[in-house]
Structures are given as C-alpha cells and as structure tokens.
Amino acid sequence: QKEVEQDPGPLSVPEGAIVSLNCTYSNSAFQYFMWYRQYSRKGPELLMYTYSSGNKEDGRFTAQVDKSSKYISLFIRDSQPSDSATYLCAIPEGGSEKLVFGKGTKLTVNP
Amino acid sequence: SAVISQKPSRDICQRGTSLTIQCQVDSQVTMMFWYRQQPGQSLTLIATANQGSEATYESGFVIDKFPISRPNLTFSTLTVSNMSPEDSSIYLCSVDGPSGGSYNEQFFGPGTRLTVL
C-alpha cells in the first residue's frame, strides 16, 4: 500500500460549486498534513497545512484531518475559475525533511 | 518565501545523451531537493542536497544516473545521464522553508520539462 493515496481525477465543476478533494494515508505516526496547489507549467506552492486532527479554515479553503480513519480533505467553497489547478496532498515523514506526495487531483472550474 | 529559478525550462534530447539542470535560489538555504514528476505519478523525491556534502539519494535513484552538485548555498545542479525515453518527465528543485522543520514547507522552482526521443 502506498503511503499516500489520492484520486487523480480529473474533476470538473461549475463556478460557485463546493469542491471536495481527498487523500488517505497509511502511517498513523504522521502528524502534519499539507495541501499544495500547482498551476499548469508551474511548481507546487503550499496552500494550507494542518497539525493532527481537526479543521483549519483560510478564506474559501478548509482543510480537514480525520486521524482515526487516516483521511484528509480539502474543501473549496464558491469555487472560481482561478482555482483551476492540480491539488496535491503532502505529508512530512517523521524525523526527516522528506515530503510524501499524493498523485494530485486536477481540478477545472468552468465559468 | 524563496524565489527559485531553473534552467532550462524545457528541452528535447536524444537517447544516450545527458542534460544538466540548474537551480538558483535568491537566498541562502540549507537543504535543496530534486524531484521528478511523471504524468499520472506522485511527485517523487530523487535526492536531497546539502552544501559541502554528498547528496542523499532515495531508493531507486543512483548517483551514476543522477549526479548532483551543490557548490554553494544558493545553487545546485542535477544531471540526467545516459537518457532514455523513460526519463521524460518534469524535474523540479525545491528548498526548505523557514518553518523550523515543524511541517517541512518547501518552495518549488517552476520545473524543467524534459522529453527524450
């Protein structure tokens, strides 16, 4: 089983929709959970991170972690065409600088 | 945040040749990372490069195929040697952020898109 699993999509939604992006992970020792956003022909950039379980909100974005089921989510409210990008979940391996990434979900928000 | 540039941005190369990718950062950083991003695959770490020491390679990647240099705190190169079409990919460098290692934020360059014929 891979350490981080993410459905690559693609996902296409109309403008204004609520988007749900998800990852599962296998190592219960993971503590930090990150979401990166990657626009076409650009490098990934950190969007949000959370520590342990719970929710974290930043504007239209909410990151959610359920450690009991090893499930992390990113919700986008009132999605905009500018949100069209690939979203990658990433988890730091404990005790190292290494990030383990999901495959990324390509999102298209249609005007 | 760090500003990272990569050269070249893209290249088309012949089988059996080598390509060196440059990564330049606008500030001094301790750790630099090289990743490969293949279509439909996870962003995969190739190696970690610290200034003044040998790069540390991940399982499945070897120095003979991907030699790395780290001559100073703002620059690194990755060479893809004896290329085959399977090496066609996007190669990205990244640097560690100022988070103090708590959540390992990394800043990424724009990537080098390599096609091997």
Side-chain angles (χ1 to χ4, degrees):
Chain A
Q1 181 186 7
K2 287 183 181 273
E3 286 191 288
V4 180
E5 299 270 10
Q6 182 177 10
D7 185 343
L11 185 61
S12 181
V13 302
E15 183 175 352
I18 296 174
V19 176
S20 173
L21 305 166
N22 309 292
C23 290
T24 58
Y25 62 94
S26 58
N27 190 337
S28 58
F30 289 152
Q31 293 289 335
Y32 285 92
F33 306 91
M34 309 164 82
W35 285 96
Y36 279 79
R37 178 174 61 194
Q38 185 176 21
Y39 290 113
S40 179
R41 303 188 184 280
K42 302 285 187 183
E45 57 179 352
L46 181 65
L47 184 62
M48 294 182 70
Y49 77 93
T50 54
Y51 174 72
S52 194
S53 283
N55 292 358
K56 184 174 183 178
E57 190 173 315
D58 184 1
R60 296 184 294 109
F61 298 87
T62 300
Q64 189 173 78
V65 176
D66 182 349
K67 292 195 74 179
S68 62
S69 56
K70 301 190 185 73
Y71 195 83
I72 60 175
S73 302
L74 178 70
F75 298 97
I76 307 174
R77 292 186 301 279
D78 187 25
S79 57
Q80 302 295 309
S82 58
D83 295 328
S84 298
T86 296
Y87 291 80
L88 304 101
C89 57
I91 302 177
E93 276 196 352
S96 78
E97 300 290 331
K98 181 179 177 180
L99 287 177
V100 181
F101 283 87
K103 289 185 178 181
T105 301
K106 185 174 182 179
L107 170 68
T108 301
V109 181
N110 301 299
Chain B
S1 64
V3 177
I4 304 167
S5 60
Q6 285 184 235
K7 290 182 181 179
S9 58
R10 58 171 56 222
D11 208 341
I12 301 173
C13 300
Q14 295 297 319
R15 180 195 300 261
T17 63
S18 297
L19 176 72
T20 295
I21 302 168
Q22 299 178 6
C23 180
Q24 180 76 51
V25 191
D26 69 341
S27 58
Q28 293 184 340
V29 293
T30 305
M31 304 185 76
M32 296 181 77
F33 307 88
W34 286 98
Y35 287 85
R36 182 172 71 183
Q37 188 174 32
Q38 295 179 310
Q41 300 300 315
S42 306
L43 200 64
T44 302
L45 182 64
I46 297 172
T48 302
N50 289 337
Q51 193 267 336
S53 62
E54 294 289 325
T56 302
Y57 289 82
E58 296 297 309
S59 175
F61 297 98
V62 296
I63 188 171
D64 290 345
K65 176 68 175 177
F66 297 102
I68 288 171
S69 77
R70 181 80 199 274
N72 57 53
L73 291 173
T74 63
F75 187 78
S76 178
T77 67
L78 170 77
T79 299
V80 187
S81 303
N82 188 25
M83 288 184 286
S84 66
E86 291 72 35
D87 294 319
S88 298
S89 182
I90 298 172
Y91 292 85
L92 298 120
C93 70
S94 73
V95 303
D96 58 333
S99 62
S102 57
Y103 56 89
N104 297 28
E105 178 179 7
Q106 293 181 15
F107 298 100
F108 284 83
T112 295
R113 187 177 295 266
L114 171 62
T115 302
V116 184
L117 303 178

